[in-house]
Amino acid sequence: MQDARDPRTESPPNRSKPRSRRLPREVRERQILDAAVQVFARHGYHEAAMDEISEVAEISKPMIYAYLGSKEELFVACIRREANRLIESISGAVDADLPPDEQLWRGLRAFFEYAQQNRASWTVLHRQASTQGPPFAAELSAWRRRALDLVTTLLSRADGTEEDRQVRHEQMQPFAAALVGAGESMVDWWIEHPEHTADALSMRLMNLVWMGFGDMVQGRRWKPD
Amino acid sequence: MQDARDPRTESPPNRSKPRSRRLPREVRERQILDAAVQVFARHGYHEAAMDEISEVAEISKPMIYAYLGSKEELFVACIRREANRLIESISGAVDADLPPDEQLWRGLRAFFEYAQQNRASWTVLHRQASTQGPPFAAELSAWRRRALDLVTTLLSRADGTEEDRQVRHEQMQPFAAALVGAGESMVDWWIEHPEHTADALSMRLMNLVWMGFGDMVQGRRWKPD
């Protein structure tokens, strides 16, 4: 914390390293995005007012425009940041050295926990982004592709066959699409049935995709270690 | 075809039977809806023009308004009719006397075949309806609830346990939500990978939800009878 060197006599810092004066800007941008996600989730893109975002963020409107651009650009920045957060929290939960079922279980749990603890983020990503039509379609399909790619990679690891990695990755794509859609749809259902826990939802999806109905109807269940 | 009876001396027809003069209206309404589904699928709700619907249907605009109301009412009528068609084609394919895996297989195949053979219908139901926001949200959530209810009922039949029917139906809801979302998401993927057949897609989803990854990674596959 304490640096005895006199900055005035210090040699110039490495140019690629962000200067400390940029920090306030990063903090402000984070405040703006946090506020915007809340407001977009609450009202939807069209009804959300920059005035309310400015109020919640406690940052003036001209400064919001200067930092993050128009309302449209702000919405795109929200989708991008929230998609990163969700994808990082899933991939961070999954350790490639674990057995495949344990990887899948941890990934599913991270997903449902994210959706529970970051409801506004999920609403913006899943509902607001998809209902706002053409201007955001590119950003939306980019994030869905990344989600699909993450799940495809996770599933490819679970497939113990000796096939070529590329072929395996491709074969896993429709399964990954199924799993992504299953998760999204279960969260929609969950929002109307909030009495269930993230663990209970993860366990159901885990049983569906790991055990399958064929085992479930005969009473066989998957259980974590 | 040839009816020798003189209609003028005929006793009045059963009142509950639609009179033949209503037939042209039904036919016209069908033509209008067929055209509207094509045009809404092509351009989306906002960009779709009543002029184009009138042209494709070969029915004048005033007659379209007289029969099916405003553009908004016409769109709602499209969602309603197409949802009925899809739900009927799935439930029609599934015979309650078949073994549970066979029921699930037939249901999935009917779904993917419908999405393939009725692309415009699927686009209106899945993409256009969900991206048009508030005015259609009620119709959309009504049809999703019906789809969910159909799948929940199918899955409840598959569950061989002795539990009370009501409890079983409720327990199956999150699985049904997962399955509905999985199917929707696979069709989205399929549209970008049209080289796959409806059978191949159905077989993948069947294996995922009946066998599960636990079996699949060990090379066990579900096969139809």
Side-chain angles (χ1 to χ4, degrees), chain A residues 147-166:
Chain A
L148 204 63
D149 205 57
L150 168 67
V151 176
T152 307
T153 303
L154 294 183
L155 293 182
S156 303
R157 282 193 213 147
D159 185 351
T161 64
E162 295 296 315
E163 287 177 289
D164 171 59
R165 182 175 269 270
Q166 183 60 40

Side-chain angles (χ1 to χ4, degrees), chain A residues 49-60:
Chain A
M50 291 299 269
D51 282 323
E52 187 176 346
I53 294 171
S54 157
E55 226 177 272
V56 174
E58 298 181 350
I59 289 173
S60 75

Side-chain angles (χ1 to χ4, degrees), chain A residues 85-133:
Chain A
R85 289 181 57 216
L86 171 55
I87 284 173
E88 275 162 23
S89 74
I90 295 173
S91 51
V94 177
D95 178 346
D97 294 330
L98 289 169
D101 57 338
E102 194 66 27
Q103 287 188 44
L104 185 57
W105 163 244
R106 292 192 185 197
L108 293 178
R109 215 174 35 175
F111 167 72
F112 284 107
E113 280 170 359
Y114 183 92
Q116 183 170 50
Q117 289 158 14
N118 303 273
R119 187 52 50 86
S121 169
W122 176 255
T123 304
V124 166
L125 280 178
H126 176 56
R127 198 170 299 274
Q128 303 301 356
S130 70
T131 55
Q132 301 315 326

Side-chain angles (χ1 to χ4, degrees), chain A residues 68-80:
Chain A
L68 287 158
S70 66
K71 182 176 160 186
E72 190 173 312
E73 288 166 311
L74 184 56
F75 191 63
V76 167
C78 286
I79 302 176
R80 199 167 294 164

Side-chain angles (χ1 to χ4, degrees), chain B residues 4-15:
Chain B
R5 291 171 298 183
D6 183 346
R8 285 164 302 181
T9 60
E10 184 79 8
S11 62
N14 184 335
R15 281 280 163 213

Side-chain angles (χ1 to χ4, degrees), chain A residues 173-186:
Chain A
Q173 274 188 28
F175 293 114
L179 187 53
V180 167
E184 288 178 324
S185 178
M186 278 181 97

Side-chain angles (χ1 to χ4, degrees), chain B residues 2-221:
Chain B
Q2 312 275 322
D3 194 334
R5 291 171 298 183
D6 183 346
R8 285 164 302 181
T9 60
E10 184 79 8
S11 62
N14 184 335
R15 281 280 163 213
S16 70
K17 212 177 120 188
R19 304 266 205 99
S20 66
R21 66 170 176 83
R22 291 193 57 205
L23 195 64
R25 180 177 180 136
E26 283 163 18
V27 171
R28 282 212 191 100
E29 284 189 356
R30 198 168 61 224
Q31 283 177 308
I32 297 168
L33 287 169
D34 288 345
V37 167
Q38 296 301 324
V39 175
F40 285 134
R42 202 176 301 146
H43 303 292
Y45 173 73
H46 292 292
E47 302 295 318
M50 292 299 271
D51 283 322
E52 187 175 345
I53 294 171
S54 159
E55 226 178 271
V56 173
E58 297 179 353
I59 290 172
S60 75
K61 270 208 294 184
M63 202 169 270
I64 295 181
Y65 289 119
Y67 279 176
L68 287 159
S70 66
K71 183 175 158 187
E72 191 174 311
E73 289 167 310
L74 183 55
F75 191 62
V76 167
C78 286
I79 301 175
R80 200 167 293 164
R81 190 188 68 163
E82 300 310 303
N84 279 338
R85 290 182 55 218
L86 171 55
I87 283 171
E88 275 163 20
S89 75
I90 294 173
S91 52
V94 177
D95 178 346
D97 295 330
L98 288 169
D101 58 337
E102 194 65 29
Q103 287 188 43
L104 185 57
W105 163 244
R106 292 191 185 196
L108 292 178
R109 216 174 35 178
F111 167 71
F112 284 106
E113 279 169 0
Y114 183 92
Q116 184 169 52
Q117 289 157 14
N118 303 275
R119 185 55 47 89
S121 168
W122 177 254
T123 303
V124 166
L125 278 179
H126 176 57
R127 199 171 298 275
Q128 304 301 356
S130 70
T131 58
Q132 302 315 325
F136 310 111
E139 198 60 36
L140 184 63
S141 84
W143 114 249
R144 280 195 69 91
R145 247 197 315 278
R146 286 182 59 207
L148 204 63
D149 204 57
L150 167 67
V151 175
T152 306
T153 303
L154 294 183
L155 293 182
S156 302
R157 281 193 214 147
D159 184 352
T161 64
E162 295 297 316
E163 287 176 290
D164 171 60
R165 183 176 266 269
Q166 183 61 39
V167 173
R168 202 165 60 198
H169 195 270
E170 211 167 301
Q171 285 182 341
M172 282 296 150
Q173 274 187 30
F175 294 115
L179 187 53
V180 167
E184 288 177 325
S185 180
M186 278 182 97
V187 173
D188 276 345
W189 180 86
W190 191 17
I191 289 169
E192 289 170 20
H193 300 84
E195 66 276 17
H196 298 272
T197 63
D199 258 29
L201 270 284
S202 318
M203 191 59 90
R204 279 199 172 88
L205 189 51
M206 182 67 195
N207 268 293
L208 179 62
V209 301
W210 190 263
M211 298 300 281
F213 269 107
D215 284 324
M216 281 195 281
V217 298
Q218 290 174 45
R220 290 190 289 271
R221 297 284 183 276

